[in-house]
Amino acid sequence: AEAKGVAAEAAMDNIVCARCYTSDHLEQLLVEAAGLMVNDEDRFALLIVDSIMGGFRVDYTGRGELADRQQKLARVMNQLQKVSEEFNVAVVLSNQVMADPGGGCAFMPSFPKPVGGHILAHFSTTRVMLRKGRGEQRIAKIYDSPCLPESESIFEIFGGGVRNGGD
């Protein structure tokens, strides 16, 4: 904030943060977030859910509960979509990836797959995978988007913000 000429206190006044422990808690927090947005519609532009599948992996374990987990995930994703459309806010989700044990053969590497399956994939408009590059560099790869070609970009996060990785 200070690198952009904004006082840290003023920037923090524009951020609402909550920690989510379960999938039920996530649903409750989304209702509360919508309530805040109703009261002060112009204040909000971005909703971030860090590790969208974290609470679901705590609540639902094993393949026996997969159908229930996916149904609840669909309800949460639908809720996020409604909040996004009703209050004109961008929604950014971070997610975990897992190895695909059946995805490769002995001669070909298996690439990590996003946790959450097709439900998460179909509700997401643009999917970006982040990975570590050399040193402090990070690589963002667009691998699914209706309006952007598949491509990569290198960037660095530093004290003054974010900059191109080649700078």
Side-chain angles (χ1 to χ4, degrees), residues 2-3 7 9 25-26 30-31 34 45 58 71 73 75 89-91 95 102 115 140 146-147 150 161 165:
E2 291 171 357
E9 294 83 24
H25 192 210
L26 176 58
L30 289 175
V31 169
V58 168
Q71 287 176 354
L73 176 61
R75 282 195 309 271
V89 296
V91 175
N95 192 17
V115 175
C147 56
E150 187 173 306

Side-chain angles (χ1 to χ4, degrees), residues 131-142:
R131 68 179 191 273
K132 186 164 176 22
R134 289 190 204 125
E136 298 302 313
Q137 294 182 339
R138 302 293 183 263
I139 302 165
K141 178 181 181 180
I142 296 173

Side-chain angles (χ1 to χ4, degrees), residues 38-55:
V38 164
N39 294 332
D40 198 357
E41 205 167 316
D42 295 332
R43 179 177 174 200
F44 299 97
L46 178 64
L47 173 64
I48 300 172
V49 180
D50 187 23
S51 192
I52 182 80
M53 291 305 298

Side-chain angles (χ1 to χ4, degrees), residues 2-166:
E2 291 171 357
K4 301 294 181 190
V6 177
E9 294 83 24
M12 293 303 290
D13 286 342
N14 288 324
I15 298 173
V16 177
C17 183
R19 182 176 297 267
C20 176
Y21 297 101
T22 65
S23 57
D24 288 332
H25 192 210
L26 176 58
E27 284 184 303
Q28 178 186 349
L29 289 172
L30 289 175
V31 169
E32 290 177 22
L36 289 171
M37 291 178 194
V38 164
N39 294 332
D40 198 357
E41 205 167 316
D42 295 332
R43 179 177 174 200
F44 299 97
L46 178 64
L47 173 64
I48 300 172
V49 180
D50 187 23
S51 192
I52 182 80
M53 291 305 298
F56 291 93
R57 293 181 91 179
V58 168
D59 294 342
Y60 302 95
T61 57
R63 292 193 181 271
E65 296 181 319
L66 184 61
D68 293 337
R69 182 188 84 175
Q70 293 303 89
Q71 287 176 354
K72 184 150 193 186
L73 176 61
R75 282 195 309 271
V76 167
M77 294 301 290
N78 191 284
Q79 221 177 340
L80 284 166
Q81 189 173 32
K82 286 178 181 175
V83 167
S84 173
E85 292 170 357
E86 186 171 337
F87 300 106
N88 196 29
V89 296
V91 175
V92 174
L93 309 173
S94 74
N95 192 17
Q96 303 160 340
V97 294
M98 65 178 181
D100 183 8
C105 65
F107 306 108
M108 304 255 319
S110 69
F111 296 99
K113 287 176 36 174
V115 175
H118 293 293
I119 299 291
L120 199 55
H122 289 299
F123 271 99
S124 302
T125 303
T126 298
R127 293 189 289 164
V128 178
M129 184 165 193
L130 303 174
R131 68 179 191 273
K132 186 164 176 22
R134 289 190 204 125
E136 298 302 313
Q137 294 182 339
R138 302 293 183 263
I139 302 165
K141 178 181 181 180
I142 296 173
Y143 73 97
D144 186 26
S145 177
C147 56
L148 299 168
E150 187 173 306
S151 62
E152 291 186 353
S153 179
I154 299 172
F155 65 96
E156 295 177 6
I157 300 173
F158 69 109
V162 179
R163 64 180 167 214
N164 287 333

